[in-house]
Amino acid sequence: MVVDRVLPPATNTLRAPAGMLSGIQPAICVDNWPDPTYARMGAFPTLADVLAANGYHAAAFTENGYVSSRYFGLGAGFELFVERTGSPGNPHVVGTIEETFERGRRWIEEHRDESFFLFLHTYQVHAPYRPSPKYRA
């Protein structure tokens, strides 16, 4: 199954993925930011937890400080969560959409005969938007 249309439960980069991955209202699972102890993603079963319990492999590749397992617990339930991130309050982008999606593509190739869930997050659509030369034209 491919889900090609997802409407986030919030409009900011931390709360939207937290809500999508947990099914919990973002104000409940991620509140009181910027206190680094606030992330309670591990307190709720996540989509990755449920899928893993049913035989799925779960991986994520991110490139922003707000989509972080280390700082915000968003890796709960994933067997692989690769974050190329800055830090809370300075979530500079590390990497490019091409690198992030290439990592995801390689992971899919390695797991193509298995059931899996892959979460990719790029910050490419945010300012400052700097499209690669091949897209500028």
Side-chain angles (χ1 to χ4, degrees):
M1 171 176 53
V2 173
V3 178
D4 58 11
R5 183 180 170 124
V6 176
L7 299 176
T11 58
N12 73 30
T13 303
L14 172 57
R15 287 177 174 82
M20 287 188 295
L21 295 173
S22 71
I24 304 293
Q25 286 296 321
I28 296 170
C29 61
V30 289
D31 57 4
N32 300 321
W33 187 86
D35 178 353
T37 63
Y38 84 95
R40 297 182 299 179
M41 287 295 290
F44 306 102
T46 65
L47 177 59
D49 286 321
V50 172
L51 291 172
N54 287 282
Y56 284 70
H57 294 278
F61 298 92
T62 77
E63 60 185 49
N64 177 262
Y66 290 112
V67 185
S68 171
S69 182
R70 178 176 28 167
Y71 295 115
F72 301 119
L74 293 178
F78 286 94
E79 65 187 72
L80 176 66
F81 194 96
V82 177
E83 58 186 81
R84 298 191 62 204
T85 63
S87 62
N90 183 21
H92 63 279
V93 177
V94 180
T96 66
I97 192 171
E98 288 84 2
E99 291 168 330
T100 301
F101 280 48
E102 178 59 21
R103 286 172 184 245
R105 188 198 61 75
R106 285 192 312 251
W107 190 88
I108 288 172
E109 285 295 317
E110 293 170 11
H111 296 86
R112 72 172 147 228
D113 296 326
E114 303 164 336
S115 298
F116 66 83
F117 169 59
L118 176 62
F119 179 75
L120 297 174
H121 180 271
T122 180
Y123 217 62
Q124 185 70 31
V125 298
H126 293 283
Y129 181 64
R130 295 185 195 115
S132 65
K134 77 179 189 180
Y135 297 118
R136 286 185 193 153

